[in-house]
PDB file of all heavy atoms in Angstrom:
ATOM      1  N   PHE A 387      -7.933   9.796  -5.772  1.00 96.00           N
ATOM      2  CA  PHE A 387      -8.011   8.883  -4.618  1.00 96.00           C
ATOM      3  C   PHE A 387      -6.944   9.240  -3.590  1.00 96.00           C
ATOM      4  O   PHE A 387      -5.923   9.848  -3.904  1.00 96.00           O
ATOM      5  CB  PHE A 387      -7.886   7.422  -5.050  1.00 96.00           C
ATOM      6  CG  PHE A 387      -6.621   7.079  -5.798  1.00 96.00           C
ATOM      7  CD1 PHE A 387      -5.476   6.670  -5.121  1.00 96.00           C
ATOM      8  CD2 PHE A 387      -6.580   7.143  -7.187  1.00 96.00           C
ATOM      9  CE1 PHE A 387      -4.317   6.349  -5.812  1.00 96.00           C
ATOM     10  CE2 PHE A 387      -5.422   6.815  -7.890  1.00 96.00           C
ATOM     11  CZ  PHE A 387      -4.283   6.422  -7.198  1.00 96.00           C
ATOM     12  N   ALA A 388      -7.233   8.850  -2.351  1.00 96.00           N
ATOM     13  CA  ALA A 388      -6.376   9.248  -1.232  1.00 96.00           C
ATOM     14  C   ALA A 388      -5.098   8.423  -1.191  1.00 96.00           C
ATOM     15  O   ALA A 388      -5.121   7.198  -1.289  1.00 96.00           O
ATOM     16  CB  ALA A 388      -7.127   9.092   0.076  1.00 96.00           C
ATOM     17  N   LEU A 389      -3.980   9.116  -1.027  1.00 97.00           N
ATOM     18  CA  LEU A 389      -2.705   8.470  -0.729  1.00 97.00           C
ATOM     19  C   LEU A 389      -2.421   8.533   0.770  1.00 97.00           C
ATOM     20  O   LEU A 389      -1.809   7.632   1.330  1.00 97.00           O
ATOM     21  CB  LEU A 389      -1.576   9.167  -1.495  1.00 97.00           C
ATOM     22  CG  LEU A 389      -1.657   9.114  -3.030  1.00 97.00           C
ATOM     23  CD1 LEU A 389      -0.574   9.994  -3.647  1.00 97.00           C
ATOM     24  CD2 LEU A 389      -1.546   7.680  -3.528  1.00 97.00           C
ATOM     25  N   TRP A 390      -2.874   9.609   1.391  1.00 97.00           N
ATOM     26  CA  TRP A 390      -2.736   9.778   2.838  1.00 97.00           C
ATOM     27  C   TRP A 390      -3.951  10.555   3.330  1.00 97.00           C
ATOM     28  O   TRP A 390      -4.345  11.537   2.705  1.00 97.00           O
ATOM     29  CB  TRP A 390      -1.461  10.534   3.179  1.00 97.00           C
ATOM     30  CG  TRP A 390      -1.209  10.624   4.661  1.00 97.00           C
ATOM     31  CD1 TRP A 390      -1.526  11.656   5.488  1.00 97.00           C
ATOM     32  CD2 TRP A 390      -0.586   9.629   5.473  1.00 97.00           C
ATOM     33  NE1 TRP A 390      -1.149  11.371   6.776  1.00 97.00           N
ATOM     34  CE2 TRP A 390      -0.565  10.123   6.802  1.00 97.00           C
ATOM     35  CE3 TRP A 390      -0.052   8.364   5.229  1.00 97.00           C
ATOM     36  CZ2 TRP A 390      -0.028   9.400   7.858  1.00 97.00           C
ATOM     37  CZ3 TRP A 390       0.492   7.638   6.287  1.00 97.00           C
ATOM     38  CH2 TRP A 390       0.499   8.165   7.584  1.00 97.00           C
ATOM     39  N   LYS A 391      -4.560  10.070   4.420  1.00 95.00           N
ATOM     40  CA  LYS A 391      -5.759  10.717   4.957  1.00 95.00           C
ATOM     41  C   LYS A 391      -5.470  11.340   6.323  1.00 95.00           C
ATOM     42  O   LYS A 391      -4.868  10.701   7.201  1.00 95.00           O
ATOM     43  CB  LYS A 391      -6.887   9.695   5.107  1.00 95.00           C
ATOM     44  CG  LYS A 391      -7.555   9.315   3.813  1.00 95.00           C
ATOM     45  CD  LYS A 391      -8.386  10.450   3.239  1.00 95.00           C
ATOM     46  CE  LYS A 391      -9.616  10.726   4.086  1.00 95.00           C
ATOM     47  NZ  LYS A 391     -10.423  11.825   3.484  1.00 95.00           N
ATOM     48  N   LYS A 392      -5.897  12.569   6.466  1.00 94.00           N
ATOM     49  CA  LYS A 392      -5.807  13.227   7.768  1.00 94.00           C
ATOM     50  C   LYS A 392      -6.733  12.516   8.744  1.00 94.00           C
ATOM     51  O   LYS A 392      -7.890  12.238   8.439  1.00 94.00           O
ATOM     52  CB  LYS A 392      -6.215  14.692   7.640  1.00 94.00           C
ATOM     53  CG  LYS A 392      -6.206  15.464   8.949  1.00 94.00           C
ATOM     54  CD  LYS A 392      -6.667  16.899   8.756  1.00 94.00           C
ATOM     55  CE  LYS A 392      -6.693  17.656  10.081  1.00 94.00           C
ATOM     56  NZ  LYS A 392      -7.146  19.061   9.903  1.00 94.00           N
ATOM     57  N   ALA A 393      -6.207  12.214   9.928  1.00 92.00           N
ATOM     58  CA  ALA A 393      -7.012  11.523  10.944  1.00 92.00           C
ATOM     59  C   ALA A 393      -7.835  12.529  11.730  1.00 92.00           C
ATOM     60  O   ALA A 393      -7.314  13.538  12.220  1.00 92.00           O
ATOM     61  CB  ALA A 393      -6.110  10.740  11.884  1.00 92.00           C
ATOM     62  N   GLN A 394      -9.110  12.262  11.835  1.00 89.00           N
ATOM     63  CA  GLN A 394      -9.978  13.082  12.671  1.00 89.00           C
ATOM     64  C   GLN A 394      -9.671  12.808  14.149  1.00 89.00           C
ATOM     65  O   GLN A 394      -9.079  11.772  14.488  1.00 89.00           O
ATOM     66  CB  GLN A 394     -11.442  12.784  12.354  1.00 89.00           C
ATOM     67  CG  GLN A 394     -11.837  13.105  10.921  1.00 89.00           C
ATOM     68  CD  GLN A 394     -11.541  14.549  10.546  1.00 89.00           C
ATOM     69  OE1 GLN A 394     -11.874  15.469  11.293  1.00 89.00           O
ATOM     70  NE2 GLN A 394     -10.893  14.747   9.395  1.00 89.00           N
ATOM     71  N   PRO A 395     -10.071  13.695  15.055  1.00 87.00           N
ATOM     72  CA  PRO A 395      -9.708  13.533  16.480  1.00 87.00           C
ATOM     73  C   PRO A 395     -10.105  12.168  17.057  1.00 87.00           C
ATOM     74  O   PRO A 395      -9.381  11.621  17.898  1.00 87.00           O
ATOM     75  CB  PRO A 395     -10.467  14.679  17.166  1.00 87.00           C
ATOM     76  CG  PRO A 395     -10.606  15.718  16.100  1.00 87.00           C
ATOM     77  CD  PRO A 395     -10.776  14.972  14.811  1.00 87.00           C
ATOM     78  N   GLU A 396     -11.244  11.626  16.602  1.00 82.00           N
ATOM     79  CA  GLU A 396     -11.710  10.362  17.178  1.00 82.00           C
ATOM     80  C   GLU A 396     -11.068   9.132  16.544  1.00 82.00           C
ATOM     81  O   GLU A 396     -11.294   8.003  16.984  1.00 82.00           O
ATOM     82  CB  GLU A 396     -13.245  10.264  17.036  1.00 82.00           C
ATOM     83  CG  GLU A 396     -13.751  10.110  15.603  1.00 82.00           C
ATOM     84  CD  GLU A 396     -13.876  11.431  14.860  1.00 82.00           C
ATOM     85  OE1 GLU A 396     -13.456  12.477  15.419  1.00 82.00           O
ATOM     86  OE2 GLU A 396     -14.400  11.418  13.719  1.00 82.00           O
ATOM     87  N   HIS A 397     -10.240   9.331  15.518  1.00 83.00           N
ATOM     88  CA  HIS A 397      -9.668   8.204  14.787  1.00 83.00           C
ATOM     89  C   HIS A 397      -8.551   7.546  15.596  1.00 83.00           C
ATOM     90  O   HIS A 397      -7.584   8.206  15.982  1.00 83.00           O
ATOM     91  CB  HIS A 397      -9.134   8.682  13.433  1.00 83.00           C
ATOM     92  CG  HIS A 397      -9.030   7.595  12.425  1.00 83.00           C
ATOM     93  ND1 HIS A 397     -10.034   7.303  11.525  1.00 83.00           N
ATOM     94  CD2 HIS A 397      -8.057   6.700  12.177  1.00 83.00           C
ATOM     95  CE1 HIS A 397      -9.668   6.300  10.763  1.00 83.00           C
ATOM     96  NE2 HIS A 397      -8.465   5.911  11.146  1.00 83.00           N
ATOM     97  N   ILE A 398      -8.678   6.237  15.864  1.00 86.00           N
ATOM     98  CA  ILE A 398      -7.720   5.542  16.737  1.00 86.00           C
ATOM     99  C   ILE A 398      -6.391   5.291  16.033  1.00 86.00           C
ATOM    100  O   ILE A 398      -5.322   5.538  16.566  1.00 86.00           O
ATOM    101  CB  ILE A 398      -8.307   4.191  17.214  1.00 86.00           C
ATOM    102  CG1 ILE A 398      -9.667   4.407  17.891  1.00 86.00           C
ATOM    103  CG2 ILE A 398      -7.340   3.485  18.146  1.00 86.00           C
ATOM    104  CD1 ILE A 398     -10.393   3.115  18.217  1.00 86.00           C
ATOM    105  N   MET A 399      -6.466   4.751  14.822  1.00 89.00           N
ATOM    106  CA  MET A 399      -5.250   4.343  14.118  1.00 89.00           C
ATOM    107  C   MET A 399      -4.692   5.551  13.359  1.00 89.00           C
ATOM    108  O   MET A 399      -5.278   6.011  12.381  1.00 89.00           O
ATOM    109  CB  MET A 399      -5.553   3.181  13.181  1.00 89.00           C
ATOM    110  CG  MET A 399      -6.101   1.957  13.906  1.00 89.00           C
ATOM    111  SD  MET A 399      -6.378   0.536  12.831  1.00 89.00           S
ATOM    112  CE  MET A 399      -4.729  -0.125  12.702  1.00 89.00           C
ATOM    113  N   ARG A 400      -3.542   6.055  13.813  1.00 92.00           N
ATOM    114  CA  ARG A 400      -2.957   7.260  13.237  1.00 92.00           C
ATOM    115  C   ARG A 400      -1.441   7.214  13.409  1.00 92.00           C
ATOM    116  O   ARG A 400      -0.923   6.615  14.346  1.00 92.00           O
ATOM    117  CB  ARG A 400      -3.521   8.518  13.890  1.00 92.00           C
ATOM    118  CG  ARG A 400      -3.280   8.545  15.403  1.00 92.00           C
ATOM    119  CD  ARG A 400      -3.673   9.881  16.017  1.00 92.00           C
ATOM    120  NE  ARG A 400      -5.097  10.121  15.888  1.00 92.00           N
ATOM    121  CZ  ARG A 400      -5.642  11.305  15.645  1.00 92.00           C
ATOM    122  NH1 ARG A 400      -4.863  12.361  15.499  1.00 92.00           N
ATOM    123  NH2 ARG A 400      -6.936  11.464  15.569  1.00 92.00           N
ATOM    124  N   TRP A 401      -0.750   7.854  12.473  1.00 96.00           N
ATOM    125  CA  TRP A 401       0.704   7.913  12.508  1.00 96.00           C
ATOM    126  C   TRP A 401       1.155   9.312  12.090  1.00 96.00           C
ATOM    127  O   TRP A 401       0.480   9.965  11.276  1.00 96.00           O
ATOM    128  CB  TRP A 401       1.311   6.878  11.543  1.00 96.00           C
ATOM    129  CG  TRP A 401       1.085   5.474  11.971  1.00 96.00           C
ATOM    130  CD1 TRP A 401       1.929   4.678  12.685  1.00 96.00           C
ATOM    131  CD2 TRP A 401      -0.060   4.657  11.693  1.00 96.00           C
ATOM    132  NE1 TRP A 401       1.396   3.427  12.878  1.00 96.00           N
ATOM    133  CE2 TRP A 401       0.163   3.390  12.274  1.00 96.00           C
ATOM    134  CE3 TRP A 401      -1.267   4.873  11.008  1.00 96.00           C
ATOM    135  CZ2 TRP A 401      -0.756   2.346  12.188  1.00 96.00           C
ATOM    136  CZ3 TRP A 401      -2.188   3.834  10.930  1.00 96.00           C
ATOM    137  CH2 TRP A 401      -1.925   2.597  11.515  1.00 96.00           C
ATOM    138  N   PRO A 402       2.289   9.768  12.616  1.00 97.00           N
ATOM    139  CA  PRO A 402       2.807  11.076  12.192  1.00 97.00           C
ATOM    140  C   PRO A 402       3.351  11.015  10.768  1.00 97.00           C
ATOM    141  O   PRO A 402       3.874   9.984  10.335  1.00 97.00           O
ATOM    142  CB  PRO A 402       3.931  11.356  13.206  1.00 97.00           C
ATOM    143  CG  PRO A 402       4.362  10.005  13.677  1.00 97.00           C
ATOM    144  CD  PRO A 402       3.123   9.146  13.664  1.00 97.00           C
ATOM    145  N   SER A 403       3.217  12.103  10.048  1.00 98.00           N
ATOM    146  CA  SER A 403       3.715  12.168   8.678  1.00 98.00           C
ATOM    147  C   SER A 403       4.090  13.610   8.367  1.00 98.00           C
ATOM    148  O   SER A 403       3.768  14.529   9.144  1.00 98.00           O
ATOM    149  CB  SER A 403       2.641  11.692   7.697  1.00 98.00           C
ATOM    150  OG  SER A 403       1.695  12.708   7.437  1.00 98.00           O
ATOM    151  N   PRO A 404       4.734  13.863   7.229  1.00 98.00           N
ATOM    152  CA  PRO A 404       5.034  15.254   6.868  1.00 98.00           C
ATOM    153  C   PRO A 404       3.786  16.106   6.694  1.00 98.00           C
ATOM    154  O   PRO A 404       3.886  17.340   6.688  1.00 98.00           O
ATOM    155  CB  PRO A 404       5.771  15.111   5.524  1.00 98.00           C
ATOM    156  CG  PRO A 404       6.341  13.723   5.541  1.00 98.00           C
ATOM    157  CD  PRO A 404       5.332  12.909   6.283  1.00 98.00           C
ATOM    158  N   TRP A 405       2.629  15.489   6.575  1.00 98.00           N
ATOM    159  CA  TRP A 405       1.384  16.238   6.324  1.00 98.00           C
ATOM    160  C   TRP A 405       0.481  16.272   7.554  1.00 98.00           C
ATOM    161  O   TRP A 405      -0.655  16.702   7.484  1.00 98.00           O
ATOM    162  CB  TRP A 405       0.645  15.592   5.153  1.00 98.00           C
ATOM    163  CG  TRP A 405       1.630  15.247   4.061  1.00 98.00           C
ATOM    164  CD1 TRP A 405       2.239  16.124   3.210  1.00 98.00           C
ATOM    165  CD2 TRP A 405       2.173  13.957   3.785  1.00 98.00           C
ATOM    166  NE1 TRP A 405       3.121  15.457   2.399  1.00 98.00           N
ATOM    167  CE2 TRP A 405       3.103  14.125   2.718  1.00 98.00           C
ATOM    168  CE3 TRP A 405       1.967  12.676   4.303  1.00 98.00           C
ATOM    169  CZ2 TRP A 405       3.826  13.045   2.187  1.00 98.00           C
ATOM    170  CZ3 TRP A 405       2.687  11.610   3.775  1.00 98.00           C
ATOM    171  CH2 TRP A 405       3.608  11.796   2.733  1.00 98.00           C
ATOM    172  N   GLY A 406       1.004  15.753   8.688  1.00 96.00           N
ATOM    173  CA  GLY A 406       0.229  15.698   9.915  1.00 96.00           C
ATOM    174  C   GLY A 406      -0.159  14.276  10.256  1.00 96.00           C
ATOM    175  O   GLY A 406       0.107  13.333   9.496  1.00 96.00           O
ATOM    176  N   ASP A 407      -0.785  14.107  11.417  1.00 96.00           N
ATOM    177  CA  ASP A 407      -1.206  12.774  11.837  1.00 96.00           C
ATOM    178  C   ASP A 407      -2.278  12.231  10.889  1.00 96.00           C
ATOM    179  O   ASP A 407      -3.222  12.947  10.529  1.00 96.00           O
ATOM    180  CB  ASP A 407      -1.769  12.812  13.267  1.00 96.00           C
ATOM    181  CG  ASP A 407      -0.672  12.891  14.307  1.00 96.00           C
ATOM    182  OD1 ASP A 407       0.515  12.969  13.903  1.00 96.00           O
ATOM    183  OD2 ASP A 407      -0.986  12.878  15.503  1.00 96.00           O
ATOM    184  N   GLY A 408      -2.139  10.988  10.518  1.00 95.00           N
ATOM    185  CA  GLY A 408      -3.117  10.381   9.623  1.00 95.00           C
ATOM    186  C   GLY A 408      -2.825   8.917   9.388  1.00 95.00           C
ATOM    187  O   GLY A 408      -2.166   8.254  10.210  1.00 95.00           O
ATOM    188  N   PHE A 409      -3.299   8.408   8.263  1.00 94.00           N
ATOM    189  CA  PHE A 409      -3.113   6.991   7.931  1.00 94.00           C
ATOM    190  C   PHE A 409      -3.112   6.858   6.403  1.00 94.00           C
ATOM    191  O   PHE A 409      -3.648   7.712   5.697  1.00 94.00           O
ATOM    192  CB  PHE A 409      -4.223   6.141   8.553  1.00 94.00           C
ATOM    193  CG  PHE A 409      -5.623   6.592   8.225  1.00 94.00           C
ATOM    194  CD1 PHE A 409      -6.316   6.046   7.152  1.00 94.00           C
ATOM    195  CD2 PHE A 409      -6.245   7.581   8.997  1.00 94.00           C
ATOM    196  CE1 PHE A 409      -7.593   6.468   6.843  1.00 94.00           C
ATOM    197  CE2 PHE A 409      -7.529   8.010   8.683  1.00 94.00           C
ATOM    198  CZ  PHE A 409      -8.211   7.454   7.609  1.00 94.00           C
ATOM    199  N   PRO A 410      -2.509   5.793   5.875  1.00 95.00           N
ATOM    200  CA  PRO A 410      -2.383   5.671   4.420  1.00 95.00           C
ATOM    201  C   PRO A 410      -3.695   5.308   3.759  1.00 95.00           C
ATOM    202  O   PRO A 410      -4.562   4.660   4.351  1.00 95.00           O
ATOM    203  CB  PRO A 410      -1.351   4.555   4.246  1.00 95.00           C
ATOM    204  CG  PRO A 410      -1.469   3.741   5.495  1.00 95.00           C
ATOM    205  CD  PRO A 410      -1.824   4.704   6.586  1.00 95.00           C
ATOM    206  N   GLY A 411      -3.846   5.730   2.504  1.00 94.00           N
ATOM    207  CA  GLY A 411      -4.964   5.277   1.706  1.00 94.00           C
ATOM    208  C   GLY A 411      -4.826   3.786   1.434  1.00 94.00           C
ATOM    209  O   GLY A 411      -3.715   3.237   1.416  1.00 94.00           O
ATOM    210  N   TRP A 412      -5.941   3.143   1.194  1.00 91.00           N
ATOM    211  CA  TRP A 412      -5.973   1.687   1.035  1.00 91.00           C
ATOM    212  C   TRP A 412      -5.025   1.216  -0.069  1.00 91.00           C
ATOM    213  O   TRP A 412      -4.320   0.204   0.079  1.00 91.00           O
ATOM    214  CB  TRP A 412      -7.414   1.254   0.745  1.00 91.00           C
ATOM    215  CG  TRP A 412      -7.564  -0.170   0.311  1.00 91.00           C
ATOM    216  CD1 TRP A 412      -6.841  -1.255   0.754  1.00 91.00           C
ATOM    217  CD2 TRP A 412      -8.491  -0.684  -0.640  1.00 91.00           C
ATOM    218  NE1 TRP A 412      -7.271  -2.411   0.134  1.00 91.00           N
ATOM    219  CE2 TRP A 412      -8.278  -2.089  -0.727  1.00 91.00           C
ATOM    220  CE3 TRP A 412      -9.477  -0.097  -1.430  1.00 91.00           C
ATOM    221  CZ2 TRP A 412      -9.034  -2.896  -1.582  1.00 91.00           C
ATOM    222  CZ3 TRP A 412     -10.233  -0.911  -2.271  1.00 91.00           C
ATOM    223  CH2 TRP A 412     -10.020  -2.296  -2.338  1.00 91.00           C
ATOM    224  N   HIS A 413      -4.959   1.932  -1.186  1.00 95.00           N
ATOM    225  CA  HIS A 413      -4.221   1.436  -2.342  1.00 95.00           C
ATOM    226  C   HIS A 413      -2.711   1.472  -2.156  1.00 95.00           C
ATOM    227  O   HIS A 413      -1.987   0.790  -2.881  1.00 95.00           O
ATOM    228  CB  HIS A 413      -4.596   2.250  -3.590  1.00 95.00           C
ATOM    229  CG  HIS A 413      -6.070   2.373  -3.798  1.00 95.00           C
ATOM    230  ND1 HIS A 413      -6.906   1.282  -3.890  1.00 95.00           N
ATOM    231  CD2 HIS A 413      -6.869   3.466  -3.911  1.00 95.00           C
ATOM    232  CE1 HIS A 413      -8.148   1.699  -4.056  1.00 95.00           C
ATOM    233  NE2 HIS A 413      -8.152   3.019  -4.065  1.00 95.00           N
ATOM    234  N   CYS A 414      -2.230   2.260  -1.206  1.00 97.00           N
ATOM    235  CA  CYS A 414      -0.785   2.425  -1.053  1.00 97.00           C
ATOM    236  C   CYS A 414      -0.077   1.158  -0.587  1.00 97.00           C
ATOM    237  O   CYS A 414       1.061   0.888  -0.985  1.00 97.00           O
ATOM    238  CB  CYS A 414      -0.480   3.544  -0.049  1.00 97.00           C
ATOM    239  SG  CYS A 414      -0.756   5.203  -0.701  1.00 97.00           S
ATOM    240  N   GLU A 415      -0.738   0.388   0.254  1.00 96.00           N
ATOM    241  CA  GLU A 415      -0.025  -0.672   0.954  1.00 96.00           C
ATOM    242  C   GLU A 415       0.601  -1.700   0.014  1.00 96.00           C
ATOM    243  O   GLU A 415       1.757  -2.100   0.172  1.00 96.00           O
ATOM    244  CB  GLU A 415      -0.955  -1.378   1.950  1.00 96.00           C
ATOM    245  CG  GLU A 415      -2.133  -2.069   1.310  1.00 96.00           C
ATOM    246  CD  GLU A 415      -3.122  -2.596   2.341  1.00 96.00           C
ATOM    247  OE1 GLU A 415      -3.816  -1.790   2.975  1.00 96.00           O
ATOM    248  OE2 GLU A 415      -3.181  -3.817   2.491  1.00 96.00           O
ATOM    249  N   CYS A 416      -0.155  -2.157  -0.998  1.00 97.00           N
ATOM    250  CA  CYS A 416       0.363  -3.213  -1.866  1.00 97.00           C
ATOM    251  C   CYS A 416       1.510  -2.700  -2.734  1.00 97.00           C
ATOM    252  O   CYS A 416       2.481  -3.415  -2.978  1.00 97.00           O
ATOM    253  CB  CYS A 416      -0.748  -3.787  -2.732  1.00 97.00           C
ATOM    254  SG  CYS A 416      -2.003  -4.683  -1.779  1.00 97.00           S
ATOM    255  N   THR A 417       1.391  -1.460  -3.220  1.00 98.00           N
ATOM    256  CA  THR A 417       2.479  -0.891  -4.009  1.00 98.00           C
ATOM    257  C   THR A 417       3.741  -0.780  -3.169  1.00 98.00           C
ATOM    258  O   THR A 417       4.838  -1.170  -3.607  1.00 98.00           O
ATOM    259  CB  THR A 417       2.083   0.496  -4.546  1.00 98.00           C
ATOM    260  OG1 THR A 417       0.831   0.408  -5.234  1.00 98.00           O
ATOM    261  CG2 THR A 417       3.132   1.027  -5.505  1.00 98.00           C
ATOM    262  N   ALA A 418       3.606  -0.277  -1.965  1.00 98.00           N
ATOM    263  CA  ALA A 418       4.768  -0.074  -1.097  1.00 98.00           C
ATOM    264  C   ALA A 418       5.386  -1.404  -0.671  1.00 98.00           C
ATOM    265  O   ALA A 418       6.618  -1.562  -0.697  1.00 98.00           O
ATOM    266  CB  ALA A 418       4.362   0.739   0.140  1.00 98.00           C
ATOM    267  N   MET A 419       4.555  -2.365  -0.294  1.00 98.00           N
ATOM    268  CA  MET A 419       5.095  -3.647   0.178  1.00 98.00           C
ATOM    269  C   MET A 419       5.596  -4.498  -0.975  1.00 98.00           C
ATOM    270  O   MET A 419       6.548  -5.271  -0.819  1.00 98.00           O
ATOM    271  CB  MET A 419       4.048  -4.372   1.018  1.00 98.00           C
ATOM    272  CG  MET A 419       3.750  -3.650   2.324  1.00 98.00           C
ATOM    273  SD  MET A 419       2.702  -4.542   3.484  1.00 98.00           S
ATOM    274  CE  MET A 419       1.102  -4.489   2.671  1.00 98.00           C
ATOM    275  N   GLY A 420       4.958  -4.371  -2.147  1.00 98.00           N
ATOM    276  CA  GLY A 420       5.473  -5.072  -3.319  1.00 98.00           C
ATOM    277  C   GLY A 420       6.877  -4.594  -3.662  1.00 98.00           C
ATOM    278  O   GLY A 420       7.786  -5.384  -3.933  1.00 98.00           O
ATOM    279  N   LYS A 421       7.081  -3.264  -3.654  1.00 98.00           N
ATOM    280  CA  LYS A 421       8.408  -2.699  -3.913  1.00 98.00           C
ATOM    281  C   LYS A 421       9.423  -3.202  -2.894  1.00 98.00           C
ATOM    282  O   LYS A 421      10.551  -3.578  -3.240  1.00 98.00           O
ATOM    283  CB  LYS A 421       8.351  -1.171  -3.830  1.00 98.00           C
ATOM    284  CG  LYS A 421       7.763  -0.450  -5.029  1.00 98.00           C
ATOM    285  CD  LYS A 421       7.748   1.051  -4.743  1.00 98.00           C
ATOM    286  CE  LYS A 421       7.066   1.852  -5.842  1.00 98.00           C
ATOM    287  NZ  LYS A 421       7.939   2.004  -7.013  1.00 98.00           N
TER     288      LYS A 421
END
Side-chain angles (χ1 to χ4, degrees):
F387 58 89
L389 297 173
W390 185 264
K391 284 290 291 181
K392 178 182 178 180
Q394 298 304 312
E396 68 277 6
H397 203 93
I398 305 172
M399 300 183 81
R400 59 172 64 217
W401 292 265
S403 80
W405 317 286
D407 283 3
F409 53 94
W412 169 36
H413 310 304
C414 285
E415 62 188 71
C416 293
T417 307
M419 293 188 289
K421 282 178 185 283

